Amino acid sequence: MKTGTQNFKTFLILIFSLTIVNFTFSQDKSDWEGGFPDGCTSITVGKKATADGSVITSHTCDSHRTRSWINIIPAKDHKNGDMAKMVKRVACDTFAMPIYQHDLVGEIPQIAHTYGFINSAYPCINDHQLGVGESTFGGREILQSDTGLIDCQALVQLMVERNTTARDAIKMAGELTKQYGYIDVGECLTISDKNEVWHFEIVGAGKGKVGSIWAAQRVPDNHLSVNANASTIKEININDPDYFMASENVFQIAKDSGWWKPEDGEFRFCYAYAPHSRTSFASRRREWRVFDIVAPSLKLDPNSENYPFSVKPDELVSMEKLVTIFQDYFEGTPFNMIKDLTVADDDGKMVISPLANPQMPYDENKLFKINGGWGWRGERSIARWYTMYATIIQSRNWLPDEIGGVAWIAMDNVATSIYIPVYCSVSDLPTAYKTSGREKGYTRESAWWAFNRLGTLGVQRWGDMRHDIDAVWDPMQKKFFAEQKEIDKKALEMFNKKPKKAIEFLTGYSIKQGDKVVKEAWKLGDFLWTKYDEKF
């Protein structure tokens, strides 16, 4: 027999299930380019493919309006009957710079306890080492529903607030979007925990419908995978739950809509629900580049339409290797957009001009007649000038959650930035990282602006300035990675005696490193401006 509280909650669920159809918002595509999402890159690595046994997910938040600040949301207890507000991001152009505002679209019942998390634009890790990366792939426009309550950012927050494992996060996402509706374009969320990492791809249920269609595939422990704004899940073996999960409607809707005919071959999720995403070189060439860097022995074709879902790296993948990948712009390949911007050096040899810039905004491409797989837009490299922040997330099962989970966070363009370690249990962040940089425009109080200014300066005479930037960041980045074991050890000793002291220590450590790199970024920008005066 149900209690009064249970009856009340059932009533609320019914009411919200019935009323969500009244909320309608169109999906914002202001971050898209040429009809394709031009957003984020996420690389995932299983625990037997990493140099130290970490499970890794990651994210470059490439956006022209996403928030530029990060804060900490603590764990919370909630009362019976509490509701969780659901908001949807909507483009807003009334401030100094383009931003997203978050409009209330409804509420769903809250749970008794929510976990604490590092609150980036897409929350990146919770205090139980559950990490999330993200990359938009769009999908069929007819599937994009405005009817419901949960957009991508809200879904990521629900995942980290309510789950400790990737599998549970995926199951919860399926259940909540089925009941309350998914109201966003096609997204891939890359979800890691202490033992495994999954790719979760989701699209809406159709115009005016409440629900979702989704599939999830696990990255083998000894493999690396990537999502670069294209759906990559193909065949789904629902009889192998250790590696696959999917919504119950995933096959039927494809059949009913004529997007898959069994007589034509095996079902492939990406071609049923996001076929156009497989046509873009902006995505495919990034996929190739990531795989080719870690597994050159495969000799993958850079012009292929499809690559394996994941590959076994030729060597174990280190944090240093991942940073190198995220800084990549196809240098040393035929797809380097600036390879033809040459001048004669003092010896008469033709070399790439020091003024050639691999991070040109699109309208500058036209000035220099850039061409490539993406036409006049050239090539969509992994490193990008409009990255707001980037994460590489480690989850480590041999340490307590408070110490095992680390979000390495870089602000702005990774090619001119540095990752600092932020442990998942920290209670605070450096003030500059918590300071918004877009609503009021340029400010020296914001970490994002420190790195945005440095990145903008650094590409004005890239051939020379890059070496000055690397001379500062490379040894500092190596030091951060090298001292991680010692920091872990000190924190563990404290944790075994007094957990609170360990959290205070890790918080202080993360803040110290953040303050250090922000100060250095301002200093380095001033140095470049002085050294190269009248040369850019």
Side-chain angles (χ1 to χ4, degrees):
M1 183 175 180
K2 289 186 176 181
T3 65
T5 299
Q6 288 173 320
N7 280 324
F8 177 69
K9 291 181 78 172
T10 301
F11 171 75
L12 284 175
I13 291 171
L14 176 62
I15 289 298
F16 282 97
S17 295
L18 292 173
T19 58
I20 51 178
V21 294
N22 294 323
F23 297 100
T24 56
F25 292 77
S26 60
Q27 283 81 14
D28 173 65
K29 295 183 179 178
S30 56
D31 277 347
W32 292 35
E33 181 63 34
F36 292 92
D38 188 21
C40 313
T41 304
S42 177
I43 299 170
T44 53
V45 197
K47 61 186 177 183
K48 293 181 179 179
T50 57
D52 70 346
S54 298
V55 179
I56 288 177
T57 188
S58 59
H59 180 204
T60 59
C61 187
D62 304 335
S63 171
H64 306 282
R65 62 173 68 242
T66 297
R67 60 182 255 193
S68 59
W69 53 278
I70 303 170
N71 64 325
I72 303 297
I73 302 297
K76 297 177 184 177
D77 292 320
H78 305 277
K79 301 188 299 290
N80 284 337
D82 281 356
M83 304 298 287
K85 296 183 184 300
M86 294 293 104
V87 296
K88 178 180 176 60
R89 64 195 186 285
V90 178
C92 175
D93 297 307
T94 59
F95 290 86
M97 302 176 75
I99 65 167
Y100 282 121
Q101 67 184 35
H102 293 82
D103 292 353
L104 180 68
V105 293
E107 297 176 320
I108 67 173
Q110 186 56 277
I111 61 173
H113 179 81
T114 50
Y115 301 118
F117 59 93
I118 298 175
N119 188 33
S120 38
Y122 296 83
C124 60
I125 190 171
N126 72 11
D127 53 18
H128 284 67
Q129 303 197 58
L130 182 76
V132 184
E134 176 271 346
S135 186
T136 305
F137 62 78
R140 294 184 185 273
E141 190 169 348
I142 195 172
L143 292 170
Q144 297 167 20
S145 179
D146 293 331
T147 306
L149 297 182
I150 302 175
D151 79 350
C152 181
Q153 287 187 353
L155 185 58
V156 174
Q157 181 167 331
L158 289 167
M159 284 180 165
V160 299
E161 283 184 328
R162 301 184 176 202
N163 300 277
T164 62
T165 71
R167 290 172 187 262
D168 286 346
I170 292 167
K171 291 174 184 175
M172 181 218 70
E175 292 166 358
L176 291 184
T177 55
K178 178 181 179 180
Q179 182 171 5
Y180 298 107
Y182 178 70
I183 50 170
D184 218 324
V185 297
E187 292 276 2
C188 175
L189 302 180
T190 55
I191 311 158
S192 61
D193 59 33
K194 292 173 285 190
N195 295 299
E196 56 189 25
V197 60
W198 289 71
H199 287 212
F200 169 79
E201 297 187 0
I202 183 171
V203 294
K207 297 289 185 184
K209 296 180 180 178
V210 174
S212 65
I213 308 164
W214 59 271
Q217 185 169 352
R218 177 185 164 195
V219 180
D221 290 345
N222 61 346
H223 274 216
L224 173 148
S225 188
V226 58
N227 191 283
N229 300 128
S231 174
T232 64
I233 294 179
K234 301 176 183 68
E235 294 81 10
I236 303 170
N237 183 2
I238 57 174
N239 295 317
D240 184 7
D242 199 34
Y243 281 92
F244 296 94
M245 290 187 273
S247 57
E248 59 190 15
N249 58 0
V250 69
F251 300 118
Q252 195 61 48
I253 290 180
K255 286 175 63 177
D256 293 346
S257 303
W259 301 328
W260 170 55
K261 297 178 181 179
E263 60 270 23
D264 292 340
E266 193 168 0
F267 173 86
R268 292 187 291 175
F269 183 90
C270 60
Y271 283 102
Y273 295 112
H276 298 299
S277 74
R278 296 300 330 148
T279 67
S280 172
F281 270 115
S283 297
R284 290 153 51 187
R285 201 147 275 159
R286 267 181 291 162
E287 293 171 5
W288 165 79
R289 183 60 169 158
V290 172
F291 288 154
D292 192 60
I293 289 175
V294 300
S297 62
L298 295 178
K299 301 186 185 304
L300 297 174
D301 183 350
N303 297 310
S304 290
E305 182 171 321
N306 286 297
Y307 300 100
F309 171 74
S310 62
V311 302
K312 182 179 179 180
D314 291 351
E315 299 177 352
L316 294 179
V317 179
S318 66
M319 290 294 294
E320 291 89 341
K321 173 67 78 172
L322 286 171
V323 171
T324 299
I325 294 172
F326 280 118
Q327 293 176 332
D328 187 77
Y329 60 91
F330 297 111
E331 187 175 22
T333 78
F335 312 109
N336 182 2
M337 292 191 302
I338 62 174
K339 67 182 184 301
D340 297 325
L341 301 183
T342 57
V343 295
D345 65 10
D346 293 340
D347 298 322
K349 179 183 177 182
M350 298 305 293
V351 297
I352 296 175
S353 168
L355 293 171
N357 170 10
Q359 305 291 336
M360 286 184 284
Y362 292 128
D363 52 0
E364 194 172 349
N365 286 1
K366 297 177 181 178
L367 175 64
F368 292 101
K369 297 180 172 57
I370 298 297
N371 201 359
W374 212 8
W376 63 266
R377 297 175 183 87
E379 301 288 346
R380 204 299 194 180
S381 59
I382 299 168
R384 219 57 179 160
W385 76 91
Y386 50 84
T387 298
M388 301 301 296
Y389 67 90
T391 59
I392 302 174
I393 297 167
Q394 290 179 294
S395 299
R396 301 176 292 171
N397 63 12
W398 63 91
L399 289 165
D401 288 338
E402 291 84 350
I403 305 169
V406 185
W408 293 84
I409 299 175
M411 304 303 290
D412 200 66
N413 186 352
V414 177
T416 49
S417 189
I418 182 173
Y419 287 88
I420 65 165
V422 180
Y423 284 77
C424 71
S425 62
V426 300
S427 59
D428 202 2
L429 292 172
T431 300
Y433 283 76
K434 298 184 293 183
T435 301
S436 176
R438 297 185 68 82
E439 283 85 351
K440 295 181 180 179
Y442 180 81
T443 170
R444 291 186 72 93
E445 304 303 313
S446 161
W448 177 73
W449 268 114
F451 286 98
N452 181 283
R453 184 190 78 138
L454 173 61
T456 302
L457 282 170
V459 297
Q460 301 311 307
R461 193 176 181 90
W462 178 252
D464 294 329
M465 291 182 176
R466 60 182 293 190
H467 301 298
D468 296 293
I469 294 171
D470 289 346
V472 174
W473 291 148
D474 285 357
M476 193 178 291
Q477 188 73 83
K478 289 177 182 177
K479 185 174 184 294
F480 287 164
F481 291 144
E483 69 185 12
Q484 184 180 20
K485 283 187 178 180
E486 185 61 28
I487 297 300
D488 292 346
K489 182 181 177 181
K490 288 182 180 179
L492 185 58
E493 290 172 354
M494 294 179 186
F495 185 84
N496 289 334
K497 296 175 182 177
K498 205 167 187 179
K500 187 176 179 181
K501 285 293 183 183
I503 294 172
E504 290 173 356
F505 167 71
L506 293 173
T507 299
Y509 175 72
S510 293
I511 289 175
K512 179 182 177 181
Q513 307 317 317
D515 286 342
K516 180 192 300 182
V517 300
V518 169
K519 181 179 179 180
E520 198 61 53
W522 287 117
K523 180 181 175 182
L524 185 51
D526 291 346
F527 170 77
L528 293 179
W529 213 312
T530 302
K531 179 178 180 179
Y532 294 100
D533 181 48
E534 298 186 356
K535 294 181 180 179
F536 68 93

